[in-house]
Amino acid sequence: LDLLVWPETVYPTTFGAPKSEAGAAFDREIAAFALASGVPLVFGAYDVEDGDEFNAAVFLEPDPLVAGRVGFDTYRKAWLFPLTERVPAWLDSPRLHERFPWLGNWQAGAGAHAMPLSLPRGRQLRVAPLICYDTLDAGLARAAVQQGADLIVTLSNDSWFASGGGPRLHLMHAAFRSIETRRPQIRATNTGISAVID
């Protein structure tokens, strides 16, 4: 195994900036798992900076230079799903959040990024991460490939599709990112359709 990929929001809190001792223990447990497996792990979590929260993909990998240590980096989702992840500024208010507590207040990430990963046996890989709604923006995948990405990794949680053809449609949108960029894709979803696209 060269790479393990888990879906969007599979990690229920921030990674690397724990909000509690239980969160810190959870971070240590996941880091120990990555060390024991010796394989990089990409998974959906949350990120925080200056009080702002982000939907994120964490790239966790055993440090190739220091035994027993893991390194990590994060990609922050660029295209936030309307209302459930982010409310437009013109509509946002405390009264609205009081009436609809499920409305999101995450911030958008900076955009496309080719994330470097160190694979077992000294190999290197550059990954274009996309989280859920990001797959609808062809420009994100294209820009990451222009930065040198070899592989697209898509994390999604399609639970907001209650029924019907939504998960298949979402998969089809993701597949077009591979067609357009001529890059293979690993897609991990916890409630939709996971796939390997070549």
Side-chain angles (χ1 to χ4, degrees):
L1 185 67
D2 291 323
L3 173 63
L4 184 58
V5 180
W6 290 345
E8 177 186 21
T9 64
V10 71
Y11 197 79
T13 185
T14 54
F15 182 86
K19 296 179 178 182
S20 66
E21 181 49 44
F26 203 17
D27 282 3
R28 289 190 297 272
E29 187 174 340
I30 295 297
F33 171 78
L35 281 171
S37 70
V39 173
L41 171 62
V42 178
F43 61 95
Y46 305 105
D47 197 15
V48 64
E49 181 179 359
D50 299 328
D52 290 330
E53 290 202 11
F54 303 85
N55 186 345
V58 175
F59 287 71
L60 182 64
E61 60 186 353
D63 190 319
L65 303 175
V66 181
R69 192 172 89 183
V70 295
F72 78 95
D73 201 354
T74 58
Y75 163 80
R76 295 170 175 172
K77 184 176 180 178
W79 267 42
L80 299 177
F81 196 78
L83 300 179
T84 59
E85 290 184 321
R86 182 77 177 142
V87 177
W90 62 269
L91 181 62
D92 202 7
S93 72
R95 185 172 179 206
L96 182 71
H97 284 277
E98 181 180 298
R99 187 171 166 105
F100 302 102
W102 51 265
L103 292 175
N105 59 0
W106 286 339
Q107 301 302 310
H113 190 69
M115 307 288 290
L117 267 181
S118 297
L119 300 178
R121 297 171 297 285
R123 294 171 298 140
Q124 297 293 310
L125 180 68
R126 294 183 64 82
V127 175
L130 299 174
I131 301 174
C132 195
Y133 207 51
D134 282 346
T135 62
L136 301 183
D137 183 0
L140 285 174
R142 184 173 54 249
V145 167
Q146 289 169 344
Q147 295 173 22
D150 307 297
L151 171 73
I152 298 170
V153 170
T154 304
L155 311 180
S156 191
N157 178 349
D158 288 346
S159 63
W160 49 278
F161 288 122
S163 62
R168 184 159 299 282
L169 182 62
H170 202 194
L171 171 64
M172 289 169 41
H173 277 280
F176 271 98
R177 304 300 79 92
S178 287
I179 293 167
E180 295 157 353
T181 61
R182 299 190 186 281
R183 295 299 188 273
Q185 182 175 165
I186 297 171
R187 177 174 166 76
T189 67
N190 46 15
T191 55
I193 303 171
S194 296
V196 174
I197 302 164
D198 64 11

